[in-house]
Amino acid sequence: MKNLLLIHTGGTFGMRASGEQPPLVPGNLENDIEQYSPIINKIANIDIQIPFNLDSSDIGPDEWILLSKMISEKIDSFDGVVIIHGTDTLVFTATALSYLLTDLRKPVILTGSQRPIFEVRSDARNNLISALELASMEIPEVGICFGNRLLRGNRSRKKSIESFQSFESPNYPPLASVGMNIDIHYNNILRRRGSVRFVPGFDSKIVCLNAVPGLEPIDKNLLTDDSIRALVIRGFGAGNLPLKNTDWISLIEQATRKNILVVIGSYSSHGRVDLGLYANGRAALDAGAISMMDMTLEAALVKLMLLQANFEDVDEVKKMFLQPVAGEMTVEAESHA
Ligand code: ASP
């Protein structure tokens, strides 16, 4: 029998209502698994560890580092790892782990659920069973198992607040499909990782803005904070920004002058940002911005945070941002930028 490490970090999966009604709060997961899903002991020898038990809105860089250290220290004694995590920020944690666990040779599978495990009509049991089975296989990836698919963590997004199929991977195909059988799509499994080993750390000095028709871009004083190192802007479609209002472009110019890296993403999660395609993107490119390409906003933000903690120089951060670390972006550059 395989040996699996099951790390519980919190989320709806193990929550219980504090009274008759919501709000839900963290519950006693070990008891609940024992009571509602004892069958998992037929899959593997499972060691359950609970380093913290939080709503995932409260999980961030400290917990990402703690989890990566925990996994690095213990992975040799196990065949794979499953992490139960709240769905809200599950993608951020999966992404951070994919960047930190650069030598990964075994599966690290994150899962969670839309309904707690003790409820009759819950997705928790199925998700847990599939995640444990996947973690027993040869899949050297940080993946997200939810519904009936395994997705690459750093390519995923939480798309639904209600569906049992809560995650999507808009720019990369699934790593495995879970039905009567589990089909691993070996062609989609990561073969090459970036060669850089990062010091675990995340620098959060990033400002994130949305372009909105008719709204001013920003309080002009924001960039007077000298500690800010990157400005991430969600533009429209291929990365376009309003040009009739010249504030956006002058903001990018001002940021670039101050050595602040400007990255343009998009509201649209499917496809690749291409700043050269329209004049409204080209102006941002000419002002010094770079493209998020086909990375998710989550993958791009966590990558920037990690790079900023590892490199002082803005040009180094920029160079590394444009290279893949753990399969989070497509390399073939058919775009104009
Ligand atoms: N608020 C919960 C969390 O992310 C939602 C969930 O688990 O689905 O921790």
Side-chain angles (χ1 to χ4, degrees):
M1 236 204 219
K2 301 261 178 162
N3 296 310
L4 298 180
L5 174 61
L6 176 58
I7 304 176
H8 179 57
T9 67
T12 300
F13 191 107
M15 284 188 181
R16 292 201 161 253
S18 43
E20 291 286 294
Q21 298 287 331
L24 295 171
V25 293
N28 183 335
L29 182 93
E30 263 177 303
N31 283 356
D32 282 349
I33 286 192
E34 212 36 60
Q35 191 176 347
Y36 299 103
S37 218
I39 197 134
I40 62 168
N41 294 315
K42 291 195 172 170
I43 301 173
N45 299 314
I46 298 168
D47 180 0
I48 302 181
Q49 307 256 334
I50 307 183
F52 47 87
N53 191 347
L54 294 170
D55 185 295
S56 73
S57 310
D58 281 319
I59 293 180
D62 291 345
E63 290 75 20
W64 303 339
I65 292 169
L66 187 152
L67 286 172
S68 77
K69 289 194 171 148
M70 187 171 173
I71 293 168
S72 302
E73 276 163 25
K74 292 181 184 284
I75 193 94
D76 285 346
S77 320
F78 293 94
D79 296 293
V81 179
V82 170
I83 302 176
I84 299 172
H85 196 290
T87 57
D88 292 347
T89 69
L90 189 148
V91 161
F92 288 90
T93 302
T95 301
L97 291 177
S98 77
Y99 295 157
L100 292 177
L101 300 171
T102 33
D103 288 327
L104 196 64
R105 298 275 170 273
K106 295 177 181 174
V108 173
I109 311 291
L110 287 92
T111 193
S113 66
Q114 295 283 40
R115 284 175 169 259
I117 193 166
F118 72 86
E119 286 192 7
V120 175
R121 214 167 54 74
S122 168
D123 51 335
R125 283 181 294 280
N126 272 346
N127 286 347
L128 178 61
I129 288 169
S130 302
L132 290 166
E133 289 195 331
L134 286 160
S136 317
M137 299 175 165
E138 305 281 316
I139 309 174
E141 287 253 10
V142 179
I144 295 178
C145 170
F146 218 91
N148 52 10
R149 292 182 311 178
L150 177 70
L151 306 176
R152 179 172 294 158
N154 60 32
R155 289 286 194 153
S156 302
R157 314 204 70 190
K158 178 171 175 175
K159 69 164 186 197
S160 172
I161 301 167
E162 295 171 356
S163 165
F164 281 175
Q165 203 65 260
S166 182
F167 292 87
E168 65 176 349
S169 170
N171 289 325
Y172 199 76
L175 305 179
S177 311
V178 181
M180 256 203 10
N181 301 308
I182 291 183
D183 288 329
I184 304 176
H185 308 309
Y186 285 103
N187 285 343
N188 302 338
I189 303 286
L190 190 61
R191 271 180 222 102
R192 217 161 12 95
R193 282 164 208 279
S195 51
V196 181
R197 302 282 165 270
F198 297 103
V199 175
F202 296 90
D203 173 348
S204 58
K205 291 298 184 185
I206 298 170
V207 172
C208 217
L209 298 173
N210 289 321
V212 180
L215 290 198
E216 295 293 317
I218 194 178
D219 169 359
K220 304 261 183 343
N221 293 325
L222 190 61
L223 295 186
T224 56
D225 177 348
D226 282 333
S227 62
I228 291 172
R229 298 183 60 195
L231 177 59
V232 175
I233 303 171
R234 259 206 296 191
F236 311 121
N240 300 309
L241 294 173
L243 282 189
K244 270 199 290 179
N245 175 347
T246 55
D247 284 354
W248 281 103
I249 300 305
S250 54
L251 178 73
I252 295 171
E253 285 166 348
Q254 194 190 333
T256 309
R257 269 198 305 276
K258 296 189 74 179
N259 274 337
I260 294 171
L261 181 61
V262 183
V263 180
I264 312 276
S266 174
Y267 281 98
S268 311
S269 44
H270 183 242
R272 183 183 186 95
V273 172
D274 183 352
L275 298 179
L277 203 54
Y278 295 92
N280 289 53
R282 170 67 70 175
L285 190 64
D286 292 343
I290 60 170
S291 150
M292 199 178 278
M293 294 169 290
D294 70 345
M295 277 181 263
T296 62
L297 182 67
E298 294 87 335
L301 286 170
V302 177
K303 190 170 176 182
L304 275 176
M305 290 164 79
L306 178 69
L307 294 176
Q308 289 185 176
N310 275 265
F311 302 99
E312 274 302 315
D313 182 35
V314 65
D315 290 328
E316 196 69 18
V317 172
K318 185 173 172 174
K319 189 179 104 199
M320 297 298 299
F321 181 80
L322 297 171
Q323 294 171 22
V325 173
E328 76 284 3
M329 57 186 265
T330 310
V331 187
E332 89 274 323
E334 275 297 315
S335 63
H336 304 90

